Amino acid sequence: MNNSALFTDFYSITMAQGYWKRNLNERAVFEMFFRHQPFNGGYSIFAGLGTLLENIVNISFSDDDIEYLKSFGIFEDLFLDFLKTFRFNGNLWAMDEGSVVFPQEPLIRVEGSLIECQIIEGLLLNTINFQSLIATKTCRIWLAAKKGSVMEFGLRRAQGPDGALSASRAAFIGGASGTSNTLAGKILGMPAMGTMAHSWIMSFDNEEEAFESYANLYPQRAIFLIDTYDTLKSGIRNAIKVGKKLTDCGKNFGVRLDSGDIHYLSTEVRRLLDDAGLKDAFITVSNDLDEHIIETLVKDGAPVNSWGVGTRMVTGGQEASFPGVYKLAARLDGKKSIPVMKVSDNPEKTTNPGIKQVWRVKDKNGFAIADLLSIDENEPKEGERYCFWHHSADYRHFYHTIETCYPLLKKRIENGALTQELPSLSEVKAHAQKDLESFDSTYKRLLNPHIYKVSITEKLRSLKLELIQKHLDSTAKRC
């Protein structure tokens, strides 16, 4: 758990002192959303919420933290005294962790003092961005494997100890069946699994002896790594010799490929196992796999039973980060909400103003057809016809009579305390897999996925256009 409030960008603390001097009790609403799908994909998996909530409700500045800030010589003593008692006492809404999510829609909404909202920004973005990236990557891999067994093998390539644990957690949500990270297994309650390294085999005089010794130690979970010397001429033949002894005792076994032409080798290994009467013996493969390689192998009929994926799963592969941002959406003056927005020369960076709810709209068969952003708590209503406007507030729109819809943002923290017990990691994973089923396969394909519609209501569009026009008028006056 990381509950030091120093885990934030330095400017959050310098701004906090400014807010403190200006008006300690001014409240605001911030929203976290992301701008585009990673991996050129059609969906993302929202992950990291459980980790974030546990940290936020426990966040504080320790005495050492205060002394460190004092050393800068720019923070007033009274402000530092205030930080000594700092806790997050605001409210937080979020989608269910594991939900399938899309660009431009709020995943998290935070209401609190400007100081509270600002100080948790770094923690929020760091936690959600990394875990959502890894959960999304893993889900792509899991779907490419036709929902088969995918093991997370990324400990040694992850970004540091915390990155490794966070990646294991996110990978499990995304579809991984277990992890090679033993500590993650203990802390997170997920299956810890693995086979053997080449060093085990090389520490013996010969391959057969290495396999024999391992089988004697672990007869219930023997998986032999067969590519240390020669996969087809040596490895698989020795594995068959030892494997037959296991099957004679009523035990099964597997072999693992970690190099070479996976399709060719797995096909030949399967043939040799079957010819030896070992049809139940299974094949697992690794070797710098990703969703594209796995999808090709599956389509070509490679006889692989499970997949071990490391580097390209826990680092995000070609995608360096999840593009989540955290922006001010409204200022609160008593019970009055004052919507605000960022207007940018880059249209994709212009935000949607106001305090918003996200509604998932489904057809009569239970398939999601669009998400709708609303600033009115009472809309949309089932059975009514609505105009769905593109979130950029341009001319693109469509009409639809809503059959089924429900809100996605739910209150998770109220006045600094959790509103309910957090779901288990297995429950989060189950939700992710159930949510995926409500989307057509065209959104989930790797190549040229269909773009899911994220729309805004007529009221939100009108508000957005009104604020843009005010900005243009103000700019014209200054010129």
Side-chain angles (χ1 to χ4, degrees):
M1 181 181 293
N2 182 4
N3 55 13
S4 172
L6 284 186
F7 193 71
T8 192
D9 291 304
F10 188 68
Y11 72 14
S12 292
I13 301 176
T14 58
M15 283 190 290
Q17 180 169 244
Y19 294 142
W20 173 80
K21 289 178 68 68
R22 174 185 166 203
N23 185 349
L24 178 63
N25 293 316
E26 184 172 349
R27 294 178 69 80
V29 174
F30 282 72
E31 293 175 343
M32 184 266 173
F33 60 95
F34 65 107
R35 290 198 170 109
H36 63 269
Q37 295 288 15
F39 315 111
N40 294 316
Y43 67 94
S44 289
I45 302 296
F46 175 46
L49 181 64
T51 306
L52 174 68
L53 295 179
E54 287 181 336
N55 285 328
I56 285 180
V57 297
N58 292 288
I59 197 169
S60 66
F61 291 94
S62 69
D63 291 341
D64 285 345
D65 293 340
I66 298 299
E67 287 301 312
Y68 174 71
L69 292 176
K70 188 174 183 178
S71 70
F72 285 93
I74 62 172
F75 297 109
E76 297 183 14
D77 288 342
L78 288 176
F79 173 65
L80 293 175
D81 288 340
F82 161 74
L83 292 185
K84 290 179 182 178
T85 62
F86 173 82
R87 297 293 186 277
F88 180 79
N89 294 308
N91 305 315
L92 185 148
W93 291 257
M95 295 186 183
D96 290 332
E97 187 171 13
S99 293
V100 179
V101 293
F102 302 93
Q104 305 302 326
E105 57 188 28
L107 310 184
I108 297 174
R109 187 173 80 220
V110 181
E111 176 191 323
S113 71
L114 281 166
I115 292 176
E116 291 174 307
C117 294
Q118 202 73 68
I119 283 179
I120 69 168
E121 176 181 8
L123 174 64
L124 186 152
L125 288 175
N126 175 274
T127 305
I128 301 300
N129 280 340
F130 182 69
Q131 291 202 33
S132 295
L133 179 76
I134 305 309
T136 303
K137 182 69 170 181
T138 305
C139 189
R140 290 165 59 83
I141 292 170
W142 179 64
L143 291 179
K146 298 296 184 184
K147 302 180 182 179
S149 175
V150 176
M151 298 170 284
E152 179 264 300
F153 281 177
L155 170 63
R156 64 192 65 185
R157 302 288 173 80
Q159 287 94 335
D162 178 69
L165 288 170
S166 295
S168 294
R169 182 184 188 278
F172 191 68
I173 293 171
S177 55
T179 178
S180 66
N181 186 338
T182 314
L183 183 59
K186 175 189 175 184
I187 294 175
L188 302 173
M190 56 188 294
M193 52 185 59
T195 58
M196 63 173 63
H198 296 101
S199 57
W200 171 267
I201 297 160
M202 292 186 288
S203 68
F204 289 83
D205 289 336
N206 61 72
E207 204 169 37
E208 183 179 353
E209 183 183 347
F211 292 165
E212 188 83 53
S213 178
Y214 198 85
N216 289 334
L217 283 169
Y218 309 109
Q220 302 289 353
R221 51 190 306 167
I223 302 176
F224 306 127
L225 182 59
I226 59 174
D227 70 337
T228 304
Y229 303 117
D230 189 302
T231 300
L232 298 180
K233 294 181 180 179
S234 173
I236 184 57
R237 300 183 187 283
N238 286 312
I240 287 173
K241 290 179 185 178
V242 178
K244 282 185 172 181
K245 296 177 184 178
L246 285 171
T247 58
D248 288 343
C249 297
K251 310 291 192 304
N252 195 26
F253 74 102
V255 297
R256 175 179 158 218
L257 295 166
D258 189 47
S259 61
D261 185 330
I262 296 298
H263 181 269
Y264 169 71
L265 290 175
S266 63
T267 301
E268 288 300 300
V269 166
R270 181 76 269 162
R271 181 182 63 79
L272 291 169
L273 288 169
D274 291 348
D275 288 348
L278 300 169
K279 296 183 181 296
D280 291 332
F282 56 90
I283 300 172
T284 186
V285 301
S286 46
N287 188 29
D288 286 334
L289 300 172
D290 64 12
E291 65 268 43
H292 301 287
I293 295 172
I294 291 174
E295 183 181 58
T296 299
L297 288 169
V298 170
K299 285 183 176 179
D300 289 345
V304 175
N305 301 103
S306 62
W307 312 82
V309 188
T311 304
R312 299 184 188 182
M313 177 185 288
V314 303
T315 65
Q318 297 291 330
E319 198 81 21
S321 65
F322 193 80
V325 295
Y326 182 77
K327 299 297 181 184
L328 183 65
R331 303 199 317 272
L332 301 179
D333 183 6
K335 293 184 178 181
K336 181 181 179 183
S337 169
I338 305 170
V340 298
M341 66 181 292
K342 179 180 184 291
V343 181
S344 174
D345 290 336
N346 297 328
E348 69 275 7
K349 288 194 172 185
T350 296
T351 62
N352 290 302
I355 302 172
K356 295 176 286 297
Q357 178 59 273
V358 185
W359 302 82
R360 181 144 294 167
V361 180
K362 293 187 174 181
D363 63 18
K364 62 183 179 182
N365 297 315
F367 281 95
I369 59 172
D371 285 1
L372 187 63
L373 278 58
S374 167
I375 55 171
D376 187 339
E377 293 181 357
N378 298 315
E379 70 171 11
K381 292 183 174 67
E382 294 180 357
E384 295 189 4
R385 184 174 173 82
Y386 283 86
C387 182
F388 287 60
W389 287 95
H390 191 275
H391 55 76
S392 294
D394 60 19
Y395 65 90
R396 287 171 286 180
H397 64 281
F398 69 98
Y399 290 92
H400 179 72
T401 299
I402 294 178
E403 295 167 310
T404 302
C405 69
Y406 53 90
L408 297 183
L409 293 171
K410 305 172 186 177
K411 185 174 279 189
R412 313 294 177 170
I413 296 177
E414 185 171 16
N415 299 325
L418 293 174
T419 59
Q420 60 192 38
E421 185 178 347
L422 296 177
S424 69
L425 198 57
S426 293
E427 289 172 329
V428 173
K429 179 178 184 176
H431 171 69
Q433 296 183 359
K434 181 180 178 181
D435 210 25
L436 279 166
E437 293 302 313
S438 66
F439 291 86
D440 188 80
S441 61
T442 56
Y443 299 116
K444 296 177 280 190
R445 64 191 179 209
L446 296 182
L447 184 62
N448 295 325
H450 194 60
I451 298 175
Y452 185 76
K453 292 180 175 64
V454 175
S455 305
I456 59 178
T457 62
E458 182 72 54
K459 288 182 180 179
L460 178 51
R461 180 176 184 267
S462 296
L463 173 62
K464 187 171 186 177
L465 291 174
E466 176 187 340
L467 293 182
I468 290 174
Q469 188 61 50
K470 284 183 178 179
H471 168 72
L472 293 175
D473 293 345
S474 175
T475 302
K477 287 180 180 179
R478 290 198 300 270
C479 294

